[in-house]
Each structure stands twice: as structure tokens, then as C-alpha cells.
Amino acid sequence: MNKFFRFCAKVAFNVSIYLNGKEFMLNECFDEIREAIISGENINNYVNLKPENPVGIFDALHYAERYGEHLRSVICQKQENGYYAIVSFYGFKSCLLIKLTDNLKVCPVAAINGFFCDWENRKEYDMLNFIVGLIE
């Protein structure tokens, strides 16, 4: 489980780099998650399995009809002083919550942003394009 958690944290970290830029993720407030990804030490302090679906809104919007049942996603969200990622690999049935930091010292590009991969159709979307696709 340790290797899987490290992998998921690394995916979340890389997506945050994509969404916010390298300089954002090089901030010292992300030092602890970087160390946990590299060493595996204390990774359980940063990654939690979430059997319930915290992004259930997408189910209500029937995302599977447009993007398929096996959509992969990483949604990054600022909440108070924390910055978190919700990682799902097969739709929004279950997910992992990754705490990237609980002491955010820099501002992300957006309070909530995401990256979605419809691997069955070989297409990728940022949050805005994903939502536009839901309402088309």
C-alpha cells in the first residue's frame, strides 16, 4: 500500500505542477509531501482512501455518458490554509484524498482546478473544458 500511496501522491503532485507551474510546487510548504513521496516515510499522513465520493456532483451530471465509466481525474483544491488533491482512477466511484500541504504559503492559479483523462477515447481535459463538455 505504501508504494501505491506514493504513486498517487506523485500523480497529484505532478498534476499540481501542470496546473500551477513548477515554481508554485517548489515552495517550501510542499517540502514534507515531496519527502514522503521520495522516501515513503509518513506517506499515510498525506494519503487517505475515501470510499465515499466527495465530488458526487459529476455523477449527477452524468459524466459517464460523455467521458466513459473509466475516467481518470485529479482535482486540486485550496481549502483554508491547505491544498489538497482528489485522485480517482476509474470514474468517481471512490478516490484518494492527498494532502499536499496544510500550510499553504503561495496562491494556486485557481481555488479549484483539475485534470481529466478519458483514456478510452485518448483525450485529456482541464477543469474548464471538462465542465463545458458536460453541458454541451
Side-chain angles (χ1 to χ4, degrees), residues 7-26:
F7 166 76
C8 293
K10 180 67 172 161
V11 167
F13 194 88
N14 285 345
V15 167
S16 186
I17 290 171
Y18 174 79
L19 296 172
N20 297 293
K22 185 178 178 182
E23 291 302 313
F24 175 80
M25 293 306 291
L26 285 175

Side-chain angles (χ1 to χ4, degrees), residues 55-87:
V55 285
I57 184 92
F58 294 125
D59 289 335
L61 296 173
H62 308 287
Y63 75 89
E65 294 171 12
R66 172 82 164 103
Y67 298 108
E69 289 288 330
H70 305 294
L71 179 73
R72 297 192 171 127
S73 66
V74 178
I75 299 172
C76 295
Q77 179 177 349
K78 179 187 180 307
Q79 189 172 12
E80 296 177 12
N81 291 332
Y83 195 63
Y84 304 89
I86 300 166
V87 177

Side-chain angles (χ1 to χ4, degrees), residues 72-104:
R72 297 192 171 127
S73 66
V74 178
I75 299 172
C76 295
Q77 179 177 349
K78 179 187 180 307
Q79 189 172 12
E80 296 177 12
N81 291 332
Y83 195 63
Y84 304 89
I86 300 166
V87 177
S88 281
F89 290 112
Y90 295 100
F92 297 107
K93 304 295 183 235
S94 64
C95 61
L96 294 106
L97 178 65
I98 289 100
K99 176 178 67 172
L100 296 170
T101 184
D102 57 5
N103 189 22
L104 191 63

